[in-house]
Amino acid sequence: MYKVVSYLSARCALLTGQYSSSPSWASFHLGSGAVCQKSAFKYHPQDLPEMPSCRVKPEEYKGMSKEGMMKIRKEKCNPMTMKITYYKRPVFLHQGYMQWLWDVDGKRYLDLFAGVATVAVGHCHPNVRAAAERQMNTLWHTTNIYVHPSLHEYCEKLASCLPDPLKVIYLTNSGSEANDLAILMARLHTGNFDMITFGGSYHGGTQQTMGLTANSSYRYPIATSSGCTNAMCPDVFRGPWGGSHCRDSPVQTIRECSCAQGHCMANEQYIGQLKETFATSVPSRIAGFFAEPIQGMGGAVQYPKTYLREAYKLVRERGGICVSDEVQTGFGRTGSHFWGFQGHDVTPDMVTMAKGIGNGFPIGAVVTTPEIAASFAKAYHFNTFGGSPLACAVASSVLDTIREDGLQQNSLNVGTYLLTELSKLRNKYEIIGDVRGKGLQIGVEMVKDKASREPLSADAMGEIFENIKDMGVLIGKGGVYGQTFRIQPPLCITKEDADFFVAVFNKAVHGYMDRK
Ligand code: PMP
């Protein structure tokens, strides 16, 4: 990769008669109308560095043909899966190792989406695999009607990662199931019914959690939302209010404001909207409030820094409990803290988790206080697979691996670096409206232009997205209008990987602008 940097520097120097060994550009022309910007970009958009190396070689794929898989997908699978192959030319994956994936033809991809923010420590991480193998040789399954060590070892370990009084753990199989359970517990504990979530949120796909999910693409035309109300999402980029130091991120929005240090007018306005929701849309006593610390499917949407602190107070005054959905933000992803809520300086009454908890193994959890757990003990809550020996052994190894591999710190370091590099592209291209997030929970919101902040069209998003994939990087998409690229990789990616992605993204956006 560094060879490419010096090659490009030399190329610029040759064209201008100057020579600089520095990889930063000094406004040189490279023919074809493209400009070598005066900036800290390491690569010209027309050149691409080599993909960072990987010592693992994939096995030769000898399985079913691509055509065979597509035929079965079309005829025998949920028809919606035909709509969400994600790419015009789908990716047929075969093997993975850490931040790398290989398709059935042996092409390697840098995975910056981690199976939707799930593979926290890396694909097939050797330590997690070894823990799973050990448990598989001992006992795969029994339920929690018996006492088995892996459940208890894991509950002790997970509880030690959470502050008091969040110490009672319920293990489930998925995030939807965890949130479903959290709704039930909140209603039973408070004796109230109404739940509040943000517009644009995603909290699950079961009939009950669909009510919390405030994105029409995931809603069916049946009565799922009984007792669920959406408050305005305090989105400081797309929402009606936002400024230049509202959020907890190395990168602020392009919006200007005249707020004094420590005072955020956008926050006041959004809290005003929440009060309006309390006054108009729910009874005076509510069951609870669900929020992610950074809205994941919404496209890494961040709120004003003190919003959640004030919102929690208002919810508790109305008898409600506060639930932090850490399905995407937990397990060190935000870098500064192990849990996203810690970045908002709040302690929830309940935390729900899934995805990264098992690095891809199906497990989820609700963690709550002894008091709320006591209210839930009125009937027997049984879950066949929740807390199975295998799930607990895997999840336990994931916690050890996050610590041993220093992944929270890596998320902070690489994430801050990547956010900073991406913000340079935002300053360069009119269609990159916002770069935001913390650690490795990153959103890049695309717009028609910065003045209108209108979402970039689905066709344009698709074209850029497909090109990024063709250049060997997998990222995600989100946002209510599908306008935001999501970068939520395994937490083990390196700065070299980040550099490679920035070069790919630069080339994809530059190419789109050129063709436009
Ligand atoms: N909460 C959040 C924040 C999520 O992103 C998701 C899944 N995308 C869920 C809950 C539901 O998790 P699952 O798909 O495991 O049911």
Side-chain angles (χ1 to χ4, degrees):
M1 179 173 60
Y2 293 107
K3 251 193 270 158
V4 178
V5 172
S6 42
Y7 160 72
L8 289 172
S9 301
R11 189 169 158 198
C12 277
L14 280 174
L15 284 162
T16 59
Q18 294 177 346
Y19 182 78
S20 161
S21 60
S22 151
S24 56
W25 308 102
S27 222
F28 308 117
H29 255 278
L30 284 182
S32 80
V35 175
C36 231
Q37 294 275 336
K38 179 175 190 227
S39 74
F41 293 128
K42 290 188 172 145
Y43 311 108
H44 185 274
Q46 288 176 335
D47 295 290
L48 205 57
E50 252 174 58
M51 187 181 265
S53 62
C54 167
R55 61 186 169 79
V56 168
K57 296 277 165 281
E59 280 166 21
E60 191 188 342
Y61 176 73
K62 294 185 180 140
M64 184 182 274
S65 70
K66 292 187 213 171
E67 295 70 29
M69 284 188 261
M70 286 315 277
K71 188 168 183 308
I72 293 170
R73 196 172 171 99
K74 201 167 169 187
E75 292 169 6
K76 310 265 164 48
C77 299
N78 168 359
M80 284 308 279
T81 60
M82 275 315 283
K83 279 198 179 173
I84 51 168
T85 49
Y86 233 42
Y87 296 104
K88 272 195 201 130
R89 295 179 296 284
V91 179
F92 295 81
L93 290 174
H94 160 49
Q95 197 174 331
Y97 179 74
M98 301 307 277
Q99 66 271 49
W100 304 107
L101 286 167
W102 289 269
D103 71 11
V104 296
D105 301 319
K107 175 174 167 148
R108 181 159 60 98
Y109 294 90
L110 173 61
D111 181 12
L112 297 190
F113 201 35
V116 193
T118 298
V119 181
V121 301
H123 293 280
C124 304
H125 191 294
N127 296 357
V128 182
R129 205 183 58 203
E133 273 170 15
R134 265 195 310 277
Q135 191 62 49
M136 283 185 97
N137 288 331
T138 318
L139 179 69
W140 290 25
H141 175 74
T142 182
T143 76
N144 59 15
I145 56 172
Y146 305 107
V147 184
H148 59 90
S150 56
L151 171 77
H152 303 88
E153 281 163 14
Y154 181 59
C155 285
E156 179 73 7
K157 210 181 270 186
L158 182 61
S160 74
C161 300
L162 284 138
D164 275 329
L166 293 165
K167 295 294 171 194
V168 186
I169 297 166
Y170 298 79
L171 293 170
T172 66
N173 307 292
S174 70
S176 301
E177 204 191 341
N179 282 337
D180 214 294
L181 183 58
I183 298 173
L184 179 61
M185 290 169 96
R187 286 178 171 160
L188 280 169
H189 180 69
T190 61
N192 303 326
F193 191 68
D194 287 72
M195 312 294 307
I196 294 183
T197 52
F198 290 140
S201 60
Y202 185 95
H203 294 287
T206 59
Q207 195 164 349
Q208 184 149 253
T209 54
M210 212 186 290
L212 298 178
T213 291
N215 181 329
S216 65
S217 307
Y218 300 100
R219 296 280 287 259
Y220 287 83
I222 52 159
T224 55
S225 53
S226 167
C228 296
T229 298
N230 301 135
M232 182 188 276
C233 181
D235 176 349
V236 295
F237 174 70
R238 174 153 300 286
W241 306 285
S244 47
H245 42 257
C246 311
R247 64 189 180 202
D248 177 18
S249 170
V251 187
Q252 295 298 327
T253 72
I254 49 169
R255 301 172 82 168
E256 292 189 352
C257 67
S258 53
C259 298
Q261 199 63 35
H263 178 237
C264 179
M265 285 190 291
N267 184 55
E268 279 172 18
Q269 297 288 353
Y270 289 117
I271 286 291
Q273 289 294 316
L274 182 60
K275 287 181 179 162
E276 191 70 18
T277 304
F278 286 134
T280 58
S281 311
V282 290
S284 57
R285 307 290 290 168
I286 62 168
F289 169 68
F290 264 78
E292 291 177 87
I294 298 176
Q295 204 178 69
M297 299 276 267
V301 173
Q302 288 184 281
Y303 328 130
K305 280 172 214 157
T306 58
Y307 181 96
L308 279 189
R309 222 181 312 150
E310 290 178 44
Y312 272 34
K313 189 164 171 285
L314 293 170
V315 168
R316 285 172 174 152
E317 281 167 10
R318 285 155 182 80
I321 65 156
C322 298
V323 185
S324 186
D325 181 333
E326 299 276 348
V327 167
Q328 296 204 19
T329 48
F331 300 93
R333 179 161 293 281
T334 63
S336 61
H337 299 89
F338 198 78
W339 305 108
F341 67 78
Q342 294 168 312
H344 291 274
D345 196 19
V346 293
T347 305
D349 305 296
M350 229 182 253
V351 180
T352 58
M353 47 193 88
K355 291 190 188 278
I357 188 175
N359 202 45
F361 195 92
I363 169 169
V366 177
V367 185
T368 191
T369 67
E371 204 189 335
I372 295 174
S375 306
F376 191 59
K378 291 175 188 132
Y380 194 64
H381 177 256
F382 179 70
N383 189 317
T384 302
F385 294 116
S388 82
L390 199 47
C392 289
V394 167
S396 190
S397 170
V398 168
L399 283 181
D400 293 343
T401 305
I402 292 171
R403 198 188 58 247
E404 285 159 14
D405 290 3
L407 293 179
Q408 185 186 322
Q409 187 62 43
N410 191 61
S411 184
L412 181 65
N413 297 349
V414 179
T416 303
Y417 174 75
L418 179 53
L419 279 159
T420 310
E421 292 301 303
L422 287 170
S423 74
K424 294 174 190 166
L425 294 185
R426 180 200 62 184
N427 298 343
K428 179 177 169 184
Y429 294 111
E430 186 62 16
I431 60 168
I432 305 182
D434 197 28
V435 169
R436 58 179 174 250
K438 268 180 76 175
L440 290 169
Q441 174 86 344
I442 296 176
V444 180
E445 183 155 347
M446 306 298 286
V447 291
K448 285 193 178 132
D449 58 78
K450 285 191 166 93
S452 72
R453 278 180 280 133
E454 257 187 66
L456 190 65
S457 71
D459 283 350
M461 287 293 292
E463 187 181 324
I464 296 168
F465 196 57
E466 193 89 17
N467 280 336
I468 292 170
K469 177 261 294 178
D470 289 341
M471 286 187 265
V473 185
L474 303 181
I475 59 171
K477 262 193 288 184
V480 175
Y481 312 101
Q483 80 282 20
T484 304
F485 292 125
R486 292 165 59 195
I487 297 132
Q488 297 169 289
L491 306 183
C492 57
I493 65 160
T494 64
K495 282 191 177 171
E496 285 69 31
D497 300 331
D499 277 338
F500 180 69
F501 170 62
V502 172
V504 164
F505 190 51
N506 189 18
K507 189 170 163 80
V509 175
H510 184 90
Y512 169 77
M513 299 291 274
D514 249 7
R515 287 188 295 277
K516 212 166 61 127

